[in-house]
Amino acid sequence: MIIIILLCLCFTINNFKVDGWMPSISKDEYLDLEQQLKLINKPPIKTIQTEFGHIVDCIDINKQLAFDNPLLKNHKLQLKPSFRDTTTKVNSHNLSTRPTKIGLEKNMCPRGTVPIRRTTKEDLIRAKSLSNINGILTKDLPGRHFAEMHLKQDKDTSYYGVSGTISTYNPTVTSQDQMSGAYIWVSTGTDDSISIIFTGWQVYPAIYGDNKTHFFTSWSDGTRHTGCYNLLCSGFVQVDKGIYLGAPVSHTSTYGGTQFGMELSLWLDPHTKNWWLKVFKKNVGYFPAALFSNMVPADQVGWTGSTITDVGSPSPPMGSGDFPNGDTSRSCYFRQITFRNENQIEQGPSKGNWDTFSDIPNCYDVKYYGWVNDAFGYTLLFGGPGGNCGN
């Protein structure tokens, strides 16, 4: 049986060199990449050339990469969650924030198929340069900084979901190894045994080969040392035929001007124990319970802005590049942030059950404003200019 845990668990390159944006590899490594691509890129029912220059393949929903994972050998495909969506509905006409567009719009995949961004050799080569499987997941990774809000971890408290709308920006990164992004997350465990799921947006040339803002997910099981970004390994089960992981976002916010946002949720299905990803109320797909050794339910959730840079190099801007100052047209924000408790009740952070933290407040900060109004709900602002942050 061929076990497909690719990219973040890839082999070490002995003669690795960086030449501009792309490293050089040996002939044997090149042939190995060809073999990996045959396993990752399934035969398409339909192929779509996107406006961003990459290819999206419409793959039979039952033949997607996820089902190559041995942990999902007897997995039964779940087409929709068994829980009822109780997320507060907000009239978008009353907001200054417009929804950004993610994925396919009119030219969607046919029924019974799902959109998968085609992986290239360049994608695989770039991913090999990542220092470890967790990348943005490891808070003590040198050169990595964050400003976040999380709910307090308590042995008597469990979490069954997290949600929020993130204003999307396109912060400037100056090398392929820099990253700037924002995301919601759920996690269980600590240290080497932590399991975690992220979803949000990021600018990360090492993953995408460009400086665009991309919708992304990332997952990791610390006990098994498995996981990856998006669909670059077998794990996430896609069900939506329009939104796809790794897609560039069509619009980003302008500092002091038009604001665009991304509405995201991660909810635990109480019956199947799968973690569902929802984007703008669409059920994009789920992370099967079998992927994780300890994620039912989560013991911590949060909302985070994060950056990565080379050790000794200036850090990139986070969010809009401005510190949180109470102005949602100039500071990046999470609005309508909620979590779901053990009784499947959705609520906002309150009564001191939360903490905010920035590891380097001279470069980035975060402020929680609580309930703001009906349009913004529970809101936090974050970000900063970066610079020489003392890596």
Side-chain angles (χ1 to χ4, degrees), residues 44 71 95 123 137 151 172 185 219 222 225 227 230 246-247 255 258 268 326:
L71 295 173
L95 293 174
D123 293 330
L137 313 184
L151 299 186
T172 300
W185 53 272
W219 67 275
H225 303 289
N230 301 322
Y255 180 81
T258 304
L268 179 65

Side-chain angles (χ1 to χ4, degrees), residues 246-302:
V249 301
S250 59
H251 299 91
T252 55
S253 301
T254 302
Y255 180 81
T258 304
Q259 300 295 300
F260 290 91
M262 181 183 296
E263 182 184 349
L264 301 168
S265 301
L266 288 169
W267 297 128
L268 179 65
D269 190 312
H271 299 292
T272 64
K273 311 306 180 184
N274 299 326
W275 282 95
W276 275 87
L277 168 62
K278 304 191 75 171
V279 182
F280 300 120
K281 302 295 189 297
K282 291 185 177 181
N283 298 310
V284 178
Y286 59 91
F287 298 88
L291 295 179
F292 305 100
S293 52
N294 59 346
M295 271 285 278
V296 182
D299 59 25
Q300 201 166 19
V301 301

Side-chain angles (χ1 to χ4, degrees), residues 112-184:
T113 68
V114 291
I116 308 294
R117 177 171 174 165
R118 183 179 298 181
T119 301
T120 67
K121 286 191 287 291
E122 290 75 20
D123 293 330
L124 295 179
I125 294 170
R126 280 191 303 270
K128 292 174 188 292
S129 68
L130 296 179
S131 60
N132 60 51
I133 181 175
N134 286 333
I136 65 167
L137 313 184
T138 308
K139 290 184 177 179
D140 58 358
L141 184 71
R144 195 263 188 174
H145 300 294
F146 61 96
E148 75 171 25
M149 174 177 172
H150 59 265
L151 299 186
K152 292 181 179 179
Q153 195 170 11
D154 186 287
K155 65 179 181 179
D156 298 322
T157 304
S158 299
Y159 300 104
Y160 290 76
V162 63
S163 69
T165 296
I166 319 173
S167 52
T168 56
Y169 277 86
N170 183 242
T172 300
V173 299
T174 57
S175 77
Q176 68 167 349
D177 297 317
Q178 287 193 338
M179 186 281 297
S180 185
Y183 44 83
I184 63 173

Side-chain angles (χ1 to χ4, degrees), residues 1-277:
M1 181 182 296
I2 300 176
I3 302 177
I4 307 177
I5 303 293
L6 298 174
L7 289 183
C8 296
L9 300 177
C10 290
F11 53 82
T12 300
I13 301 175
N14 294 324
N15 62 340
F16 188 86
K17 296 181 180 179
V18 175
D19 180 15
W21 289 98
M22 292 300 299
S24 61
I25 61 174
S26 68
K27 181 179 179 180
D28 288 342
E29 290 163 346
Y30 182 89
L31 293 175
D32 188 53
L33 291 177
E34 289 280 1
Q35 182 61 30
Q36 291 181 25
L37 289 175
K38 290 180 181 179
L39 297 173
I40 295 174
N41 294 322
K42 303 299 182 182
I45 304 299
K46 177 182 177 180
T47 295
I48 300 171
Q49 181 75 43
T50 72
E51 62 183 294
F52 301 102
H54 61 263
I55 295 174
V56 171
D57 289 325
C58 299
I59 306 298
D60 185 324
I61 193 171
N62 294 299
K63 296 179 180 179
Q64 58 184 297
L65 180 63
F67 299 125
D68 288 349
N69 192 318
L71 295 173
L72 304 183
K73 182 178 179 180
N74 298 313
H75 181 78
K76 183 178 179 181
L77 176 65
Q78 186 179 6
L79 293 176
K80 61 181 180 179
S82 59
F83 57 82
R84 184 173 61 90
D85 184 6
T86 59
T87 305
T88 303
K89 291 179 172 56
V90 179
N91 186 347
S92 60
H93 295 293
N94 295 332
L95 293 174
S96 58
T97 307
R98 303 178 184 179
T100 190
K101 295 180 180 179
I102 304 171
L104 307 175
E105 292 294 321
K106 297 180 180 179
N107 188 19
M108 292 190 182
C109 285
R111 184 176 181 179
T113 68
V114 291
I116 308 294
R117 177 171 174 165
R118 183 179 298 181
T119 301
T120 67
K121 286 191 287 291
E122 290 75 20
D123 293 330
L124 295 179
I125 294 170
R126 280 191 303 270
K128 292 174 188 292
S129 68
L130 296 179
S131 60
N132 60 51
I133 181 175
N134 286 333
I136 65 167
L137 313 184
T138 308
K139 290 184 177 179
D140 58 358
L141 184 71
R144 195 263 188 174
H145 300 294
F146 61 96
E148 75 171 25
M149 174 177 172
H150 59 265
L151 299 186
K152 292 181 179 179
Q153 195 170 11
D154 186 287
K155 65 179 181 179
D156 298 322
T157 304
S158 299
Y159 300 104
Y160 290 76
V162 63
S163 69
T165 296
I166 319 173
S167 52
T168 56
Y169 277 86
N170 183 242
T172 300
V173 299
T174 57
S175 77
Q176 68 167 349
D177 297 317
Q178 287 193 338
M179 186 281 297
S180 185
Y183 44 83
I184 63 173
W185 53 272
V186 296
S187 73
T188 300
T190 58
D191 302 326
D192 293 337
S193 65
I194 192 169
S195 293
I196 195 161
I197 302 172
F198 289 80
T199 187
W201 62 260
Q202 62 180 184
V203 181
Y204 204 172
I207 297 293
Y208 308 102
D210 59 40
N211 286 34
K212 296 183 177 69
T213 301
H214 292 257
F215 164 59
F216 86 103
T217 67
S218 184
W219 67 275
S220 175
D221 182 276
T223 302
R224 299 188 179 113
H225 303 289
T226 54
C228 65
Y229 283 94
N230 301 322
L231 294 178
L232 294 173
C233 69
S234 52
F236 181 81
V237 177
Q238 175 89 21
V239 299
D240 187 72
K241 61 181 183 179
I243 296 175
Y244 61 94
L245 305 189
V249 301
S250 59
H251 299 91
T252 55
S253 301
T254 302
Y255 180 81
T258 304
Q259 300 295 300
F260 290 91
M262 181 183 296
E263 182 184 349
L264 301 168
S265 301
L266 288 169
W267 297 128
L268 179 65
D269 190 312
H271 299 292
T272 64
K273 311 306 180 184
N274 299 326
W275 282 95
W276 275 87
L277 168 62

Side-chain angles (χ1 to χ4, degrees), residues 342-356:
E342 61 272 14
N343 296 317
Q344 301 298 315
I345 297 174
E346 189 179 2
Q347 60 192 82
S350 60
K351 299 180 180 179
N353 67 340
W354 53 271
D355 278 324
T356 58

